[in-house]
Amino acid sequence: MAVAELSAPTCAKQGLGSSQLSYLSARTSSFRRLSFRPPRRTHSSRISCSVNQTAQTPVAVETEVPKSNKPECFGVFCLTYDLKAEEETKSWKKLINVAVSGAAGMISNHLLFKLASGQVFGHDQPIALKLLGSERSFQALEGVAMELEDSLFPLLREVQIGIDPYEVFQDVEWALLIGAKPRGPGMERAGLLDINGQIFAEQGKALNAVASRNVKVIVVGNPCNTNALICLKNAPDIPAKNFHALTRLDENRAKCQLALKAGVFYDKVSNMTIWGNHSTTQVPDFLNARINGLPVKEVITDHKWLEEEFTENVQKRGGVLIKKWGRSSAASTAVSIADAIRSLVTPTPEGDWFSSGVYTDGNPYGIAEGIVFSMPCRSKGDGDYELVKDVIFDDYLLKRLTKTEAELLAERRCVAHLIGGGVAYCDLPEDTMLPGEM
Ligand SMILES: NC(=O)C1=CN([C@@H]2O[C@H](COP(=O)(O)OP(=O)(O)OC[C@H]3O[C@@H](n4cnc5c(N)ncnc54)[C@H](OP(=O)(O)O)[C@@H]3O)[C@@H](O)[C@H]2O)C=CC1
Ligand SMILES: O=C([O-])CC(=O)C(=O)O
């Protein structure tokens, strides 16, 4: 049976019972997933919805809301408008589909509103948000969708909520994978890797089956490097290069610390690389970074501070913040996800670069292949990136790189069963920690 026959809700009247319809739809989806994969839809067949009712003419909205062809639209987003006609008149770009997992979580609560406002993809870029939650979070997800409705963002054309990645990831061009289980008391890191690994293996398979062939994936849920590795290994039809683990928050933290020490505003700090794992072995590279265009070591002459205090402050910033806040960084993480996306969709300023955790195959630095490792990247603004070649290394940096590389190789051994690598063997270094675990 086709998706539309099974669950397409006749869209509820605005504000009346729409969330119940969406909820039922999502619940049936989770059953359907066992035996059915929905066929891929083409972009040209999609009719989109709008919240900006004054700026356009609805196709037919009177007392009865027309039937939507979207099986899992939410509330006001089920109203049917002819986006194409409007796009032409307003010279907007083609609608993009962006999936967000863990959409009812804290980071998403900041990020979704940035995405919908146009701050991230641009003010001429209409967007469809596809929110992935779970049975556990479904009500909260409805609450998020209601807040998005009430925000009246002109660029937000669709909101879908669901619990089945095979439906939510349909045709997505960006997948922001934030949802992950936090490490609980007494839980071994190997246990965390395994539990979250299962989530990212399933999501990789779903992306492989239904997402755009050129989908860009940013993995935020921890441990994000190895989760990204699991995800890409389970999505063999999508270029491995398209997968990122978020280390932009670490880059931003490092810039802030250097600016503080040098007594300059943080926009004067550039060329900041975070190497390696998003963990306490990460390496904030003060050898190649610059302040006001000068090497950091020329501006900050206290090299002991750079090697010890600065490095540790960045590595452990997440943990310190958790102690203060009682929860992990959410707002600044959302900002850094926005930064990471913008760095891929706008050209990198001449001479500068940004950090991202990317697949190491073919890297020019001699880092082991087959892992996801944060490295310096530059983009032409087309969603793709190149690794930066003109970086230098010294003994201190090389020693640190070896340590974070060893940690990622150990994490990879631990999840071998999830990446087609045979039997898992977990021998993680004892001091392996997420930034938030300090
Ligand atoms: N890379 C980085 O720089 C950073 C990464 N992080 C990581 O981002 C992730 C999300 O953080 P945040 O939004 O603050 O977390 P929240 O706890 O607010 O939300 C996490 C979401 O993950 C989902 N989840 C998936 N599986 C489970 C599970 N088994 N148990 C509980 N929740 C689960 C839940 O959504 P649902 O029920 O819908 O699945 C939940 O809403 C975490 O892994 C965190 O460590 C945080 C800061 C920085
Ligand atoms: O460990 C966490 O959840 C928080 C985290 O990654 C960070 O703050 O960098």
Side-chain angles (χ1 to χ4, degrees):
M1 190 182 283
V3 175
E5 288 168 340
L6 250 176
S7 65
T10 301
C11 280
K13 283 181 192 166
Q14 192 176 338
L16 261 189
S18 56
S19 48
Q20 275 167 325
L21 277 173
S22 300
Y23 178 57
L24 283 172
S25 165
R27 288 181 68 92
T28 47
S29 323
S30 65
F31 284 99
R32 199 166 55 238
R33 186 167 63 73
L34 295 174
S35 55
F36 176 77
R37 295 278 173 270
R40 304 197 65 211
R41 285 183 296 164
T42 61
H43 292 294
S44 57
S45 68
R46 179 180 294 135
I47 297 173
S48 300
C49 304
S50 168
V51 292
N52 186 359
Q53 296 182 28
T54 53
Q56 61 215 290
T57 314
V59 168
V61 184
E62 292 188 350
T63 44
E64 279 302 312
V65 176
K67 246 187 190 176
S68 167
N69 72 338
K70 298 192 303 297
E72 306 212 7
C73 56
F74 185 92
V76 74
F77 303 102
C78 298
L79 299 177
T80 302
Y81 294 89
D82 183 353
L83 176 68
K84 196 164 178 292
E86 196 199 353
E87 263 181 278
E88 280 158 14
T89 57
K90 281 192 165 178
S91 315
W92 278 359
K93 292 180 180 161
K94 184 171 160 287
L95 182 82
I96 50 165
N97 294 295
V98 180
V100 180
S101 77
M106 288 190 304
I107 295 171
S108 296
N109 192 38
H110 293 273
L111 179 66
L112 292 172
F113 295 84
K114 289 182 190 304
L115 294 171
S117 73
Q119 285 177 55
V120 181
F121 287 102
H123 292 281
D124 56 352
Q125 178 60 75
I127 185 168
L129 286 177
K130 299 173 172 242
L131 311 184
L132 182 65
S134 66
E135 294 275 359
R136 169 184 56 228
S137 66
F138 199 81
Q139 273 209 3
L141 208 56
E142 287 183 305
V144 172
M146 286 165 67
E147 285 208 83
L148 285 166
E149 280 186 301
D150 294 344
S151 300
L152 307 182
F153 289 118
L155 290 164
L156 182 59
R157 316 305 296 196
E158 292 183 23
V159 173
Q160 293 175 27
I161 59 178
I163 62 174
D164 180 351
Y166 284 87
E167 291 193 348
V168 174
F169 292 165
Q170 187 81 41
D171 293 332
V172 296
E173 285 124 334
W174 287 84
L176 312 177
L177 304 184
I178 301 173
K181 185 181 169 61
R183 178 159 155 177
M187 186 189 284
E188 294 293 327
R189 188 175 166 93
L192 184 71
L193 274 166
D194 186 55
I195 292 172
N196 282 329
Q198 311 278 352
I199 296 173
F200 287 88
E202 196 202 2
Q203 292 182 1
K205 289 189 177 91
L207 286 168
N208 200 53
V210 299
S212 155
R213 295 305 77 190
N214 198 25
V215 61
K216 305 289 188 289
V217 184
I218 300 184
V219 176
V220 179
N222 276 319
C224 61
N225 296 56
T226 297
N227 288 341
L229 178 69
I230 293 168
C231 199
L232 75 86
K233 286 287 184 188
N234 283 276
D237 301 330
I238 296 168
K241 206 184 172 199
N242 291 16
F243 290 78
H244 299 256
L246 184 80
T247 54
R248 185 53 170 267
L249 177 60
D250 308 296
E251 175 185 326
N252 291 354
R253 288 168 170 167
K255 283 181 167 168
C256 178
Q257 294 306 307
L258 290 177
L260 264 171
K261 182 75 174 173
V264 299
F265 200 58
Y266 35 68
D267 61 350
K268 300 288 183 273
V269 186
S270 64
N271 305 79
M272 187 69 241
T273 311
I274 299 295
W275 295 94
N277 202 0
H278 175 68
S279 78
T280 52
T281 64
Q282 68 178 263
V283 189
D285 175 356
F286 52 81
L287 183 65
N288 288 287
R290 292 182 168 256
I291 297 174
N292 274 322
L294 295 170
V296 164
K297 287 176 90 171
E298 284 179 24
V299 179
I300 299 172
T301 50
D302 183 352
H303 296 173
K304 191 166 166 356
W305 179 86
L306 288 168
E307 288 183 6
E308 293 173 7
E309 216 172 313
F310 162 71
T311 300
E312 198 168 311
N313 280 350
V314 177
Q315 291 170 331
K316 298 184 177 170
R317 180 84 165 172
V320 172
L321 193 129
I322 287 175
K323 286 202 182 96
K324 303 261 182 211
W325 239 131
R327 58 154 183 77
S328 66
S329 319
S332 56
T333 305
V335 168
S336 74
I337 298 168
D339 289 343
I341 297 170
R342 268 195 300 263
S343 286
L344 291 167
V345 299
T346 50
T348 309
E350 189 62 36
D352 203 358
W353 60 69
F354 58 91
S355 304
S356 189
V358 291
Y359 199 49
T360 48
D361 279 20
N363 78 83
Y365 318 113
I367 292 159
E369 301 216 324
I371 52 179
V372 171
F373 197 92
S374 184
M375 298 184 278
C377 305
R378 252 199 289 261
S379 175
K380 294 190 178 77
D382 54 359
D384 203 1
Y385 64 88
E386 296 302 328
L387 293 174
V388 173
K389 295 200 178 68
D390 43 342
V391 287
I392 54 170
F393 297 94
D394 62 8
D395 286 347
Y396 171 91
L397 186 52
L398 287 173
K399 197 168 152 218
R400 297 279 174 144
L401 290 189
T402 305
K403 182 169 180 186
T404 195
E405 178 193 57
E407 182 179 69
L408 281 166
L409 290 169
E411 288 191 18
R412 187 178 66 180
R413 286 193 289 279
C414 230
V415 299
H417 58 304
L418 297 171
I419 57 173
V423 180
Y425 169 68
C426 235
D427 59 344
L428 292 169
E430 277 192 4
D431 60 351
T432 289
M433 298 267 186
L434 294 172
E437 287 173 342
M438 295 310 298

